[in-house]
Amino acid sequence: MLRRSVRQKPKRKTTLTIRPVRRISVLACISLVLVAGPAHADRAADALSEFTRCAGIALSSERLACFDTAAQGLANPATKAEGFGKPPPPRPDEVAQIRATVLELAKTARGRAIFILDNGQTWRQIDGDDTDVRELLPGKTMKVTIAAALLNSYSLTIEGRNGLIKVRRLK
């Protein structure tokens, strides 16, 4: 049996190199996008609430002056060094939690709980949560509190029981 040898070329090590000037430019662009996005959203929300307040003014000259002031605040935002790094104040219309009574407790095929509340909302236990939810004795009511948690998630606690259940809203 004859063996044929095949000569292989040496493998080159390839690396991605970015010149220092380009690296700084890329990092500056990324940081600009990350910083400007939330700041612009806050200014827009503040301006919208200011415009809403102005719309309720009866006198047209005062209403126009209010709209002009709100528009200037959006175009030329005031920057204050003493406010840098402080968390934004909570919005007055934002709901942090709700309390309700469970009308019906059902289970999915995977054993996750479905809570049908007296306010018309339906909440389902997420698949990542394996907490066992047991029904109450007949004639007793189940009162729950659903609170906003981190990363747009929600936690449900049952009155009189320890622990919490991760849920998401279905209806």
Side-chain angles (χ1 to χ4, degrees):
M1 176 185 271
L2 258 166
R3 287 189 110 161
R4 240 171 130 184
S5 68
V6 177
R7 192 170 186 187
Q8 295 180 352
K9 293 180 183 177
K11 293 183 180 179
R12 290 185 189 171
K13 189 175 184 181
T14 58
T15 59
L16 178 64
T17 58
I18 299 175
R19 294 187 177 126
V21 175
R22 284 189 184 167
R23 183 178 302 165
I24 292 170
S25 299
V26 169
L27 292 175
C29 290
I30 290 171
S31 64
L32 181 63
V33 168
L34 293 176
V35 170
H40 180 68
D42 289 341
R43 282 197 338 240
D46 292 341
L48 182 61
S49 65
E50 188 67 22
F51 284 132
T52 305
R53 186 186 66 80
C54 293
I57 298 174
L59 289 169
S60 60
S61 60
E62 290 179 13
R63 186 173 53 247
L64 179 61
C66 183
F67 280 133
D68 288 343
T69 305
Q72 286 175 354
L74 184 61
N76 301 321
T79 58
K80 296 182 180 180
E82 63 269 5
F84 180 75
K86 288 185 178 179
R91 295 186 180 158
D93 60 340
E94 193 171 315
V95 177
Q97 68 179 10
I98 62 167
R99 295 178 192 271
T101 303
V102 177
L103 294 178
E104 186 179 341
L105 180 65
K107 295 275 186 168
T108 65
R110 291 185 172 180
R112 303 296 181 241
I114 297 176
F115 302 91
I116 300 172
L117 307 179
D118 60 348
N119 61 6
Q121 296 178 357
T122 303
W123 292 79
R124 179 186 178 279
Q125 182 180 9
I126 63 170
D127 287 332
D129 186 359
D130 59 355
T131 305
D132 185 31
V133 180
R134 296 189 183 134
E135 293 189 36
L136 287 176
L137 298 173
K140 298 220 176 187
T141 60
M142 182 184 292
K143 297 193 184 278
V144 296
T145 301
I146 301 174
L150 296 174
L151 303 173
N152 294 328
S153 64
Y154 297 92
S155 300
L156 180 140
T157 54
I158 301 171
E159 188 177 283
R161 296 186 189 178
N162 292 332
L164 55 91
I165 303 160
K166 291 295 196 180
V167 292
R168 70 180 167 94
R169 186 171 174 178
L170 297 177
K171 179 177 119 181

